[in-house]
Amino acid sequence: MIRKLIALLALVAGTASAADSLRPPLLLTARPAVQDLGGSWTYSKDLYRTGLTDINGWVAKSRMQRFRDVDVAAEEAKTGPAFFEFDLDRGPAMTLPGAWNSAVAELRYFDGLIWFQRRFDAASGASSSPGQRSFLRFEAVNYRAMVYLNGKAIAQHEGGFTPFVVEVTDTLRANGNRLVVGVDSRHDAQTIPGEITDWDLYGGITRPVKLIQTPATFIDDATLRLTDAGRFVGSLQLNGPQAGDQPVSLRIAGLNLTLTARTDANGEAHFDVAAPASLKRWTPDAPTLYDVDFEAGGDHMRDRIGFRTIAVRGSEILLNGQPVFLKGISVHEEEIAANPARLIDEAAARRLLGEVKNGLHGNYVRLSHYPHAETMLRVADEIGLLVWSEIPVYWTVDWDSSATLALARRMQAETLYRDRNRAALILWSIGNETPVAENRTRFHTALAETVRALDPSRLVSAALLVERKGDTLRIADPLLKELDVIAVNTYAGWYGDDTLADVARLRWDVPADKPLVFSEFGADAKAGFNDPQLRRKFSEDYQADYYRATLAMAAKVPTLRGLSPWVLKDFRSPRREHPVFQNGWNRKGLISETGQRKLAFDLLADHYQALPH
């Protein structure tokens, strides 16, 4: 234990200096695909992991190795002693991206290893073109991924919600490519999140897989933001043999602005200039985005970027220097559907976030409890919703493991580098409902320092638990000093012995010098179950009464600067098994899984509409 403590302290102390090492080796942000590999993939279940190991821990027999580049049917047509116990060419198929839990009834609660295969011919020009490079970009594979192309191991990745990129220039064939991905959904004490959550973990290739082509030296990543001093600052990163000492340019046609710079020996260039007076700052009411074009050599990258500032002053949250109240709700990454598969395309994102923006009159959304699909962030940018983003350091993880902390920091970095051009994103959360203890606080402190080292332009928060004495609620958490915005989850009147009448007596003893957000509060209700006389729990009537009582209590907290009730939509959760009201669904949504609005939806919408903009 002492050795673990020393290792963690060393990691915390070295967080800032090691921040640069957290940059993913390849990003390929804002790059169009040459080929989208979505569609029909065949698969093979491997509950006992026979494709990886044999009995007694021996190496798997070749007849079980699903990743091999072999035509099983052709080999079986030959005589000889060899035989096979797999054939991905003739296996069952499902459409990807999407979770296996929703694709096939027998896989609803499957938790383990499944092998997926996609056979494809490379798009014209995507293989072996002189001076060109090819990459595979996986937007998310939940939870561990083992990637093979044409029988060759090319990548491994842990973490179910962040992208990873692998170069395949020398492995890709013009025709007959065999892409195999082993997907292991199992979680344990060292994974993030851990073994038990209050949502469905959804195994599989849940976000798009894309084949991307670039020049030999290409723009891997570029960023631009507005500082508090009114300046544009940004950077561009080249990757390739000619990355150093190259001229680069940045152009924003909408502002009649062109900047030039030169890369250093590491291929990085920097920009720093006063923002034009004609700049229209991004706000939820006017979410102005600009096409920003980056060029270097023969490569070009375009991103749509909004410009705004975010800060805190005392108990105020300041957007572009003006106080803002966050009128929002929490959202899980599930599309509105009877059988969601965590398939968030642009249409699904617009439907979810449209309920927040237009239905609830909101200006803010908490994307819980993990990094959501990039599409969600881009739609929030376009329609004008401020965003809280978090990594799944949820409830309890192995606080004493340096490897688990390193994994959390990498997840944070992968999310941050993906989304740092999104004006909508204002809050990085480093945890949810974690138990107060010294080892846990050291863990979170390291994450806070990681965020500030990589992105000092945004605010840091965490959804904390509260301590109650009598009718007084306070946050007895040493992590407070690391946070710009205090956030708490409170469920008085739902969990515990309080009646709704008791909620009115509660008072909050919280720091006066920091803004407070109620990051969660809520009550379950089965859509269509009305009980106007008894107003029992699980009825829409009780949920509406709960919101009335909680919103009235919240209005008395002088430092309250935001609300994100739990939750927009009913979502799958294997923890929730009441046979009448739940059946595997957490019912705290203000709409049902199919989009039916409950009584509390309009109540919250009216509350937000009455608040100042």
Side-chain angles (χ1 to χ4, degrees):
M1 182 61 70
I2 293 175
R3 285 195 298 271
K4 287 183 178 180
L5 175 58
I6 292 172
L8 270 178
L9 289 174
L11 271 172
V12 172
T15 296
S17 62
D20 288 343
S21 67
L22 289 173
R23 185 189 188 280
L26 290 165
L27 291 166
L28 290 175
T29 55
R31 306 290 307 212
V34 174
Q35 193 170 351
D36 189 328
L37 296 180
S40 181
W41 292 57
T42 56
Y43 69 92
S44 174
K45 303 187 299 296
D46 193 3
L47 189 61
Y48 292 154
R49 289 169 165 72
T50 56
L52 298 174
T53 57
D54 199 357
I55 61 171
N56 301 321
W58 300 333
V59 174
K61 296 290 192 294
S62 60
R63 66 175 184 268
M64 306 295 289
Q65 294 174 349
R66 272 77 153 183
F67 51 81
R68 292 177 60 198
D69 185 20
V70 59
D71 184 333
V72 172
E75 293 299 314
E76 286 177 339
K78 301 175 184 178
T79 60
F83 69 98
F84 295 85
E85 296 187 74
F86 75 93
D87 185 357
L88 280 169
D89 288 334
R90 292 180 289 179
M94 70 175 69
T95 299
L96 298 179
W100 66 54
N101 313 73
S102 306
V104 181
E106 71 170 338
L107 300 179
R108 175 67 194 93
Y109 291 107
F110 184 92
D111 187 23
L113 176 61
I114 294 182
W115 297 88
F116 291 95
Q117 178 182 273
R118 176 75 154 83
R119 299 298 302 271
F120 68 97
D121 296 334
S124 178
S127 63
S128 303
S129 299
Q132 299 293 308
R133 297 166 67 182
S134 296
F135 302 85
L136 288 173
R137 187 173 192 266
F138 293 81
E139 293 192 12
V141 177
N142 196 20
Y143 169 73
R144 290 184 176 92
M146 296 162 284
V147 185
Y148 302 81
L149 181 61
N150 299 325
K152 179 182 178 182
I154 59 171
Q156 293 191 24
H157 183 265
E158 180 177 356
F161 306 99
T162 50
F164 62 97
V165 180
V166 57
E167 183 164 6
V168 295
T169 304
D170 297 331
T171 314
L172 190 69
R173 299 190 292 235
N175 303 105
N177 288 285
R178 185 189 302 272
L179 176 61
V180 176
V181 185
V183 183
D184 189 352
S185 66
R186 289 199 310 187
H187 291 68
D188 55 41
Q190 279 71 49
T191 59
I192 298 177
E195 292 180 274
I196 300 174
T197 63
D198 190 15
W199 74 85
D200 199 311
L201 289 175
Y202 285 118
I205 301 174
T206 56
R207 296 179 191 160
V209 182
K210 297 177 180 179
L211 180 64
I212 296 172
Q213 188 179 37
T214 71
T217 297
F218 64 93
I219 302 171
D220 188 33
D221 179 48
T223 184
L224 191 67
R225 66 177 178 87
L226 180 68
T227 71
D228 292 336
R231 298 186 68 82
F232 279 157
V233 298
S235 63
L236 180 151
Q237 181 68 55
L238 283 178
N239 180 301
Q242 303 297 321
D245 194 29
Q246 293 296 312
V248 302
S249 67
L250 177 160
R251 184 169 183 266
I252 307 177
L255 293 174
N256 195 28
L257 176 69
T258 300
L259 303 176
T260 59
R262 245 185 143 77
T263 59
D264 60 18
N266 296 316
E268 188 172 16
H270 295 273
F271 305 99
D272 188 340
V273 68
S278 59
L279 173 69
K280 295 180 180 179
R281 295 194 178 201
W282 186 99
T283 69
D285 291 332
T288 303
L289 300 176
Y290 292 92
D291 288 331
V292 183
D293 291 285
F294 299 91
E295 293 191 7
D299 199 23
H300 169 261
M301 190 190 92
R302 170 176 286 183
D303 205 352
R304 287 180 57 75
I305 303 176
F307 301 100
R308 55 97 192 104
T309 60
I310 192 72
V312 293
R313 181 182 63 201
S315 64
E316 299 286 355
I317 300 174
L318 304 179
L319 178 66
N320 296 320
Q322 300 299 313
V324 63
F325 189 92
L326 305 180
K327 300 181 290 185
I329 198 161
S330 298
V331 177
H332 259 298
E333 189 181 12
E334 279 188 359
E335 67 272 31
I336 297 173
N339 183 33
R342 191 169 277 164
L343 182 55
I344 303 295
D345 56 15
E346 184 176 345
R350 289 188 182 279
R351 189 176 179 196
L352 282 168
L353 297 182
E355 290 282 358
V356 183
K357 179 74 175 183
N358 304 315
L360 290 175
H361 311 295
N363 64 3
Y364 154 69
V365 63
R366 179 189 179 198
L367 299 182
S368 314
H369 281 297
Y370 36 77
H372 284 222
E374 185 175 350
T375 301
M376 290 282 278
L377 279 295
R378 290 189 177 273
V379 171
D381 252 9
E382 290 184 19
I383 69 176
L385 283 174
L386 298 162
V387 168
W388 158 313
S389 177
E390 64 190 61
I391 59 173
V393 181
Y394 174 95
W395 291 352
T396 294
V397 301
D398 189 343
W399 309 116
D400 293 312
S401 168
S402 58
T404 303
L405 176 57
L407 173 61
R409 293 178 65 220
R410 178 174 58 74
M411 285 184 180
Q412 186 70 74
E414 289 172 342
T415 308
L416 188 151
Y417 277 99
R418 188 195 72 175
D419 295 332
R420 58 184 176 163
N421 279 347
R422 305 285 71 80
L425 203 161
I426 61 168
L427 277 162
W428 294 118
S429 172
I430 56 175
N432 178 81
E433 292 184 354
T434 58
V436 176
E438 288 186 11
N439 55 357
R440 162 269 191 187
T441 302
R442 286 191 298 271
F443 193 103
H444 281 306
T445 298
L447 292 180
E449 292 178 354
T450 297
V451 171
R452 290 202 167 92
L454 293 175
D455 184 10
S457 69
R458 289 182 172 87
L459 307 178
V460 178
S461 189
L464 306 176
L465 296 167
V466 298
E467 179 184 274
R468 180 169 175 178
K469 292 185 178 179
D471 291 332
T472 299
L473 299 168
R474 59 190 296 267
I475 308 167
D477 196 325
L479 190 61
L480 283 179
K481 65 184 178 64
E482 304 295 337
L483 307 180
D484 300 307
V485 175
I486 305 170
V488 294
N489 297 347
T490 177
Y491 285 93
W494 180 254
Y495 297 120
D497 298 326
D498 289 310
T499 66
L500 293 182
D502 296 330
V503 174
R505 296 199 299 268
L506 299 177
R507 61 176 298 273
W508 287 82
D509 178 13
V510 294
D513 60 347
K514 286 191 177 184
L516 174 69
V517 171
F518 279 3
S519 42
E520 287 183 29
F521 60 88
D524 285 69
K526 178 71 178 294
F529 172 46
N530 299 106
D531 188 21
Q533 282 75 42
L534 295 178
R535 310 183 83 82
R536 289 169 292 175
K537 286 189 174 182
F538 288 108
S539 70
E540 289 193 37
D541 308 274
Y542 186 92
Q543 187 187 51
D545 290 346
Y546 171 92
Y547 268 76
R548 291 187 186 95
T550 304
L551 291 172
M553 178 265 290
K556 296 184 291 185
V557 183
T559 59
L560 188 70
R561 298 296 179 262
L563 301 168
S564 49
W566 194 256
V567 57
L568 175 67
K569 184 191 80 72
D570 289 351
F571 60 93
R572 288 196 185 277
S573 175
R575 288 170 56 88
R576 310 296 179 172
E577 287 297 330
H578 190 290
V580 176
F581 300 121
Q582 294 173 316
N583 287 304
W585 295 87
N586 186 308
R587 295 294 185 188
K588 292 185 182 66
L590 294 186
I591 62 176
S592 72
E593 66 273 21
T594 56
Q596 180 181 346
R597 293 181 178 180
K598 306 175 190 178
L599 294 175
F601 185 99
D602 288 338
L603 192 153
L604 183 63
D606 291 344
H607 179 79
Y608 282 161
Q609 195 166 32
L611 292 176
H613 284 284

